[in-house]
Amino acid sequence: MNSSTLSYAVMLLVSFCFMVFFSCYNVKGSSPALFVFGDCSSDVGNNNYLHTTDKCDFTPYGIDYSGGVANGRCNNGKNVADFLADKLGIASPEPYLSLMETRKTHKFLQGVNFASSGAGILSSTYEGLCISMDTQIDYYSSVFEALVEMMDISQTQWLISRSIFMINIGSVDILVYNGTSSSNYVSLLISTLEGQLKRMYDLGARKFVFMGIEPVGCWPALRAMNKSNGDCNIEANQLSVLFNEQAAVLLQKMQLEYADMNYSFFDSYKELNNYINHPKTYGFKEAKAACCGMGFLKAETPCNPLASYCSNRTEYVFWDNWRQTEATAKLLVSTAFDGLPPNVFPVNVKQLSGFCSEINAHFVPFVAQ
C-alpha cells in the first residue's frame, strides 16, 4: 500500500469518528450563497455564450426541466449544481456569462455558476472550447471585486466565508489523457489544482465541496470503444481513483495549513460505481447504455435532435455518452449532502453548510502519518 493510499484509508476512519461525535444541524439558508466551478456536470448555460461546438442548447436536452426547453444543461433536467442549491434551500445560481450579458450583477449576492462543459483543471484541456478552471477563477475574482464595490470588504468577506464553493472538475482531464505516465499526469493535475484552490482561498473561500471524479472509464462513450462487450475502460478508472485519493489528501493538507478552511469531499466514483454495478438497488434498469444518442450503447454519436431517446429516463444512469441523467444527479447530491464515510468525509455538505463555532473550537484536524 503506497503512502497516499494509506493516508486516504486512515483519513476515512478518522472522518467517520468525527462525523459521529461532531454532528452539526443545518439551518436552511445557513449558507447564503453557492459558487459553482466545474464542467458539464454543473454547467447551467455558460457555454451558450461561447463560440464552441460543446453546447447543450438544443432538444432533447432539458426535456424534463421546467418548461421542457433546452437551456444549456447537459442532461434531461436538473444537474448536480441545481440539486445542491435545492438542498441548501437557495436558488440555483445563474451562469456567470448570462449575468454579465444581462447586466444583472446584483445577483452575485446569491452566488454564481462558472462551470463550463468541457472544462478541465489544465487550461490545455479543450482549450478554446470552454471556460477553463483558471478562467473560472478569474471570473470569480471579478465577482469578488464587484461585491466589494456593492457592499464593502468586511460584508463581502462575511458573505463569501459562509458561502459554499462547489468544485466538480477533473473528469475531462482524465478523458483526454494521452497515455504518458499516469502517476506523473495525476501529480500535474493535483499540483495545478492546489494552486487553484489556494487562489480561491485567498479570495475568501472557506467552505469547499469537492465532488471527486466519477468512474470515467464507465461513461458510455468509453464503453462503446470496446465493441466486443462494452466493458469499462480500466485505465481511465484507475486514473480516476488515483486522482480522488490524491485530491482528498490535498484537501486535508490544506485544512491543516489554513485553520479556518473546511471541506467536504464526496467520492462520486464509489457512489456512481454502486449505481453501475447494482442498478436495481438504486431504482435503475440501464447502467451501460446512454438514454440519448446513436450507435452502439447509443454512445458512438452524441445526443442530437435526430437521435432517439428513452422514455423511461428515470431508469437510466446516463443521459448521453458522457453525462448523468437528472435521476442520477439527484441521487449523487443526496448522498453528498447527507451521507457518511467512506463516500463523503470528513463531514457531509449538510454539516459543512451549518458549520458552527462550537465545532470549529473543538475539532482538532487529523494529521496524516
Side-chain angles (χ1 to χ4, degrees):
M1 184 180 292
N2 61 44
S3 59
S4 65
T5 302
L6 179 60
S7 296
Y8 178 74
V10 176
M11 180 168 45
L12 289 179
L13 176 60
V14 175
S15 297
F16 178 78
C17 295
F18 175 69
M19 293 176 80
V20 169
F21 289 106
F22 296 103
S23 61
C24 185
Y25 295 98
N26 177 58
V27 178
K28 203 165 189 176
S30 58
S31 290
L34 173 64
F35 293 88
V36 180
F37 302 78
D39 53 30
C40 57
S41 296
S42 305
D43 188 353
V44 294
N46 276 308
N47 276 28
N48 291 351
Y49 297 86
L50 302 180
H51 295 291
T52 177
T53 55
D54 197 351
K55 293 186 179 184
C56 301
D57 58 350
F58 52 86
T59 57
Y61 287 98
I63 189 172
D64 296 312
Y65 196 81
S66 177
V69 178
N71 50 53
R73 288 167 173 80
C74 292
N75 66 354
N76 57 304
K78 289 184 175 182
N79 63 26
V80 291
D82 297 313
F83 284 119
L84 183 58
D86 288 346
K87 286 286 190 179
L88 291 170
I90 58 181
S92 184
E94 296 181 35
Y96 172 78
L97 294 181
S98 172
L99 294 174
M100 295 302 293
E101 177 83 8
T102 56
R103 301 180 183 274
K104 295 180 180 179
T105 54
H106 63 280
K107 290 195 173 184
F108 289 168
L109 292 164
Q110 302 169 19
V112 183
N113 189 315
F114 303 97
S116 171
S117 181
I121 294 170
L122 302 180
S123 293
S124 58
T125 298
Y126 284 156
E127 187 172 9
L129 298 175
C130 59
I131 308 168
S132 69
M133 184 63 174
D134 282 331
T135 302
Q136 291 181 37
I137 299 173
D138 289 341
Y139 289 161
Y140 165 62
S141 178
S142 68
V143 167
F144 185 91
E145 292 174 3
L147 288 171
V148 171
E149 290 182 9
M150 267 186 248
M151 304 184 290
D152 58 39
I153 186 63
S154 61
Q155 288 181 312
T156 298
Q157 289 174 332
W158 184 95
L159 173 73
I160 294 299
S161 66
R162 286 160 177 76
S163 298
I164 294 293
F165 284 73
M166 176 186 139
I167 301 160
N168 192 6
I169 198 85
S171 294
V172 185
D173 296 290
I174 300 300
L175 179 67
V176 301
Y177 171 64
N178 63 8
T180 58
S181 169
S182 58
S183 60
N184 288 345
Y185 186 66
V186 171
S187 294
L188 173 62
L189 293 177
I190 294 298
S191 63
T192 305
L193 178 65
E194 180 175 10
Q196 292 165 343
L197 295 179
K198 287 185 175 180
R199 188 177 171 207
M200 293 168 68
Y201 177 89
D202 290 340
L203 288 165
R206 294 296 183 268
K207 295 184 178 183
F208 294 87
V209 173
F210 197 90
M211 296 299 285
I213 289 182
E214 305 167 10
V216 173
C218 294
W219 284 355
L222 274 73
R223 283 183 182 269
M225 294 179 183
N226 188 354
K227 292 192 176 182
S228 60
N229 52 24
D231 282 350
C232 300
N233 182 296
I234 295 174
E235 184 180 32
N237 279 351
Q238 289 174 337
L239 276 170
S240 301
V241 170
L242 182 60
F243 175 87
N244 283 345
E245 289 178 352
Q246 294 193 17
V249 172
L250 167 62
L251 286 164
Q252 184 195 29
K253 184 183 78 170
M254 285 186 61
Q255 189 178 54
L256 295 176
E257 185 176 350
Y258 303 111
D260 58 346
M261 171 191 157
N262 291 293
Y263 72 93
S264 177
F265 183 93
F266 175 54
D267 195 333
S268 57
Y269 184 101
K270 289 181 180 176
E271 186 68 15
L272 190 58
N273 211 36
N274 286 336
Y275 308 167
I276 292 169
N277 293 326
H278 311 285
K280 290 184 179 180
T281 303
Y282 298 92
F284 297 110
K285 290 185 179 179
E286 179 55 67
K288 290 178 66 173
C291 170
C292 180
M294 303 170 75
F296 181 49
L297 300 179
K298 286 193 176 180
E300 291 181 294
T301 300
C303 183
N304 63 79
L306 299 179
S308 63
Y309 58 89
C310 61
S311 58
N312 53 336
R313 292 178 287 279
T314 59
E315 298 175 355
Y316 275 67
V317 173
F318 294 100
W319 162 251
D320 64 9
N321 52 348
W322 315 113
R323 294 99 169 195
Q324 317 142 357
T325 58
E326 179 183 65
T328 302
K330 185 175 183 178
L331 276 179
L332 289 171
V333 170
S334 180
T335 301
F337 195 78
D338 290 305
L340 294 169
N343 289 5
V344 56
F345 56 89
V347 294
N348 57 40
V349 180
K350 180 177 182 179
Q351 293 168 314
L352 179 70
S353 66
F355 238 120
C356 49
S357 58
E358 288 79 12
I359 283 186
N360 285 331
H362 290 91
F363 176 50
V364 178
F366 168 68
V367 180
Q369 301 298 318

